[in-house]
Amino acid sequence: MPLATFSPMTRHAAPTRPAKPNPLNLLVHETSPYLLQHRDNPVNWRAWNDDALKEARTSDKPILLSVGYAACHWCHVMAHESFEDDGIAALMNERFVNIKIDREERPDLDQIYQQALALLGQQGGWPLTMFLTPDAEPYWGGTYFPKEARYGRPGFGDVLVALSDAYHHDKEKVAKNVGGLAEAMRRLAVPAAGEAIEAEILDRIAEHLLGRIDFVHGGIEGAPKFPQAPILNLLWRAYLRNGDGRYREAVHLSLTRMLQGGIYDHLGGGLARYATDAAWLVPHFEKMLYDNAELLSLLADAWIDAGERLYEERAAEIVGWLTREMLAAPNEAGNRAFAASLDADSEGIEGKFYVWDEAEIDAVLGDEAAFFKQVYGVTAEGNWEDTNILSRGHQSGLLSPKDEARLAAARTKLLARRDTRIRPGWDDKVLADWNGLMIAALARAAQVFARTDWLRRAEDAFAFIETTMRDSNGRLKHAWRATPDQPQGRLAHPATLDDHANLARAALALHEATGDGRYLAAAKRLVADLDAHFWDDAGGYFFTADDTTDVIIRTKSAGDNATPSGNGTMLDVLTRLHHLTGDAAYEARAAELLKTFAGEVERNFFPLATFLNAADFRAHVTDVVIIGQRDEAGCAALLAALKAGPQVNLIVSVLADAASLPDFHPAAGKTAVDGKATAYVCRQQSCSAPVTAPTELARLLASNRRSAA
């Protein structure tokens, strides 16, 4: 489950302190947009590195660790209130070694200290403010602290004095906190093992989650409200397993309300990170790459089921936003991957770039304004903070094609006007794991919506990662960013489990979409690197590699955070590789991975959606083997038949002949019928009779869904 960020309903603007270079602030040497936002603070910031940690040990000062990211609104608020204040900065500099971390560059460190905060009984989120011993061990923490006491939170100056004094004058209590937290984190790094996760367990979990659905507005009940794509996927799988229409309704309702609500950018495309209210009206305006990747993938599956025009249009708008606003700088070969995020704030005010006054809409649209305002809920009073968030949340679908064409023309005009505003900050660093999510989603959506241009974009981004984000030893790195003084870009930070897992899944999605064996080889290399540097002999993959030396503990979990679980993704990847290659080692590792975390469902299943979805996939996987040439009409018609009904457990292979299949594969040695493209549907070591008619393939797949249930 994504971590909730402290975010009251009202907008917050704080005056920005005029920038005065601080020669003792070392963030000027970094490339992270988030760290560079703080390079002129009077705080003597350091990045997380050996020199900063050595400084803390040498001076015997505790570490004040501040973790955030470039698009984080409340990170900006705390910066303006406290980190730009000379008095607060003086306290910080006198009493602490101050270290700033971009949580997107170092998710491993963020994960460790978020876990520590949770063990202290506090709600996690960003900005994360942790107090550490000089050995980087946590002893207390929180999230956002106001400069002066309010919101029921102590003032930051008082916190600084109290935590500094505690370190120097209450060593026994600090040591007790450190020891207790360290022991608790060690216990959490040992997951509860179990046996296979049966369909009955999956159904019981789905039924419980269904009870948490808001059947008025969609999504998990309450506020704030996150998209929660893995949970919606879990409910979708329950519908396909047992045919219970309540699950289908929950998913379609949630998707429709999100895509019509204010959380969706109706002018520029793309979904914000979450809504602060229960009706999806008021977004936390930052846009993250990973949320839109997960939504795009789910949209493709839901469209196959319902054929809803809304889904197809929103998918195209999301990809339009991606290619218009989210392409990072090219590498030397001209390949381009995707940037990380767009800020919630512009001109120091949350959402200012996105909201509208009625008078401005009237001026831009003229005679079309009345119709547009009626559809998007625009009024003179506004629907939020005396202004308007564009929303169609009261509509269940699109209007007539004629009316939608009128609205599209109006949106084009408003988007052009909006483009003249001061834009939110853009975090243009490339993250391997988030790009993996988007590449896989694009490959899937390209097949579903027959968009070869989307597939080319996905391939281009994958080529960027493979050729640009490896060090001289061939090891994958986590982040890359180009700057004016380093146009060739700078690699940073060790790759994590999620980087390898998401890119392996992306490679397999590209392999399925193209049939190109290079992608299968790339997936195998990524998994080999994981096995060499991340696998725990006790079972499961650690989040960090065995040669990542600056973490106090190697965490291991199957729980989703803001992004899907790496161990959950790997259960899917290993299953696919076993079916595609016949290598029994992949099956053995998948079985061990499943057992390692299976007992976690008895502790807390809510964050395990990605892992549970992979367990369902592994139990019900179906191989569709099409023998023929991918570019021939007969083969294309059979591939199109895969869209005749919803499918989530297919592995599709298009082969010139079946000789390339592994010997164990039930379709090995099968042949085409009468020289026509021929399909075989295989499950549990048994294949159907050969079919050449698309209608017959669709019938077989529908029958397979019923038998799997």
Side-chain angles (χ1 to χ4, degrees), residues 190-240:
V190 181
E195 296 302 320
I197 298 176
E198 304 292 345
E200 181 275 330
I201 295 174
L202 294 173
D203 289 341
R204 178 159 46 90
I205 291 171
E207 183 69 24
H208 180 89
L209 290 172
L210 190 69
R212 298 282 305 276
I213 292 294
D214 176 350
F215 273 97
V216 175
H217 301 296
I220 300 295
E221 61 190 358
K225 187 168 277 187
F226 290 83
Q228 301 281 22
I231 288 178
L232 294 180
N233 196 334
L234 187 149
L235 296 177
W236 188 249
R237 287 174 169 276
Y239 160 60
L240 295 180

Side-chain angles (χ1 to χ4, degrees), residues 364-431:
V364 174
L365 297 184
D367 292 343
E368 286 292 291
F371 176 59
F372 184 89
K373 290 188 295 184
Q374 178 187 4
V375 173
Y376 286 94
V378 176
T379 65
E381 298 79 19
N383 56 20
W384 179 64
E385 297 288 309
D386 302 319
T387 189
N388 291 280
I389 298 168
L390 300 183
S391 173
R392 300 176 66 170
H394 56 292
Q395 300 168 7
S396 60
L398 297 179
L399 304 179
S400 69
K402 180 180 178 180
D403 284 341
E404 287 297 335
R406 290 174 64 190
L407 293 172
R411 290 196 303 269
T412 298
K413 292 178 181 178
L414 289 173
L415 181 61
R417 171 63 69 91
R418 195 177 78 176
D419 284 344
T420 66
R421 298 175 180 177
I422 296 174
R423 298 187 64 83
W426 184 46
D427 190 328
D428 59 341
K429 67 177 177 288
V430 174
L431 300 173

Side-chain angles (χ1 to χ4, degrees), residues 63-387:
I63 295 168
L64 191 159
L65 179 66
S66 177
V67 185
Y69 58 101
C72 169
H73 170 68
W74 284 95
C75 300
H76 302 331
V77 173
M78 190 167 177
H80 295 328
E81 289 179 345
S82 293
F83 303 151
E84 294 176 1
D85 181 87
D86 289 321
I88 293 292
L91 270 177
M92 293 173 67
N93 295 337
E94 175 189 356
R95 292 172 174 259
F96 297 91
V97 171
N98 303 292
I99 298 180
K100 177 69 76 172
I101 288 178
D102 181 342
R103 70 103 173 174
E104 295 168 359
E105 282 197 332
R106 292 303 304 264
D108 48 354
L109 294 169
D110 178 62
Q111 189 177 97
I112 289 168
Y113 295 110
Q114 292 283 0
Q115 186 181 85
L117 184 65
L119 290 168
L120 288 167
Q122 299 197 48
Q123 178 70 46
W126 302 279
L128 175 64
T129 308
M130 292 298 293
F131 295 88
L132 318 178
T133 71
D135 291 321
E137 301 163 316
Y139 66 94
W140 201 77
T143 52
Y144 162 77
F145 290 100
K147 180 183 173 184
E148 309 292 343
R150 64 177 184 275
Y151 306 128
R153 294 168 182 244
F156 193 47
D158 295 335
V159 171
L160 293 172
V161 172
L163 270 296
S164 171
D165 286 348
Y167 173 75
H168 289 290
H169 305 304
D170 200 348
K171 297 280 190 182
E172 184 176 344
K173 184 175 181 180
V174 168
K176 183 178 180 181
N177 272 19
V178 166
L181 286 172
E183 176 57 29
M185 286 193 286
R186 282 192 291 270
R187 288 198 303 270
L188 287 175
V190 181
E195 296 302 320
I197 298 176
E198 304 292 345
E200 181 275 330
I201 295 174
L202 294 173
D203 289 341
R204 178 159 46 90
I205 291 171
E207 183 69 24
H208 180 89
L209 290 172
L210 190 69
R212 298 282 305 276
I213 292 294
D214 176 350
F215 273 97
V216 175
H217 301 296
I220 300 295
E221 61 190 358
K225 187 168 277 187
F226 290 83
Q228 301 281 22
I231 288 178
L232 294 180
N233 196 334
L234 187 149
L235 296 177
W236 188 249
R237 287 174 169 276
Y239 160 60
L240 295 180
R241 260 195 324 274
N242 58 41
D244 189 331
R246 296 174 302 156
Y247 296 111
R248 181 180 186 273
E249 179 188 356
V251 175
H252 282 299
L253 173 66
S254 299
L255 281 175
T256 299
R257 292 291 184 244
M258 277 189 275
L259 295 171
Q260 293 286 67
I263 191 175
Y264 186 79
D265 180 359
H266 291 273
L267 299 185
L271 193 79
R273 182 166 167 257
Y274 65 88
T276 63
D277 65 319
W280 303 108
L281 172 64
V282 183
H284 191 52
F285 289 88
E286 65 202 41
K287 287 189 197 177
M288 316 302 290
L289 184 68
Y290 58 81
D291 287 319
N292 287 280
E294 293 179 81
L295 180 66
L296 181 61
S297 184
L298 186 59
L299 274 180
D301 289 330
W303 180 84
I304 290 176
D305 173 67
E308 175 60 56
R309 275 195 305 139
L310 175 66
Y311 299 165
E312 186 172 13
E313 289 206 8
R314 294 293 184 265
E317 290 165 1
I318 289 170
V319 180
W321 162 73
L322 185 71
T323 55
R324 186 181 64 252
E325 300 185 33
M326 297 300 287
L327 290 177
N331 61 12
E332 292 182 356
N335 306 121
R336 300 180 76 175
F338 305 114
S341 66
L342 286 169
D343 207 330
D345 296 10
S346 57
E347 301 179 72
I349 300 176
E350 183 180 19
K352 184 174 182 179
F353 182 75
Y354 296 100
V355 297
W356 294 86
D357 294 328
E358 182 188 42
E360 189 176 9
I361 288 178
D362 289 339
V364 174
L365 297 184
D367 292 343
E368 286 292 291
F371 176 59
F372 184 89
K373 290 188 295 184
Q374 178 187 4
V375 173
Y376 286 94
V378 176
T379 65
E381 298 79 19
N383 56 20
W384 179 64
E385 297 288 309
D386 302 319
T387 189

Side-chain angles (χ1 to χ4, degrees), residues 500 522-534 541 570 577 586 589:
H500 291 82
K524 293 165 67 175
R525 286 196 303 271
L526 287 157
V527 173
D529 286 344
L530 274 179
D531 288 342
H533 296 287
F534 292 79
Y541 292 99
M570 281 306 299
L577 282 172
Y586 292 127
R589 184 126 295 181

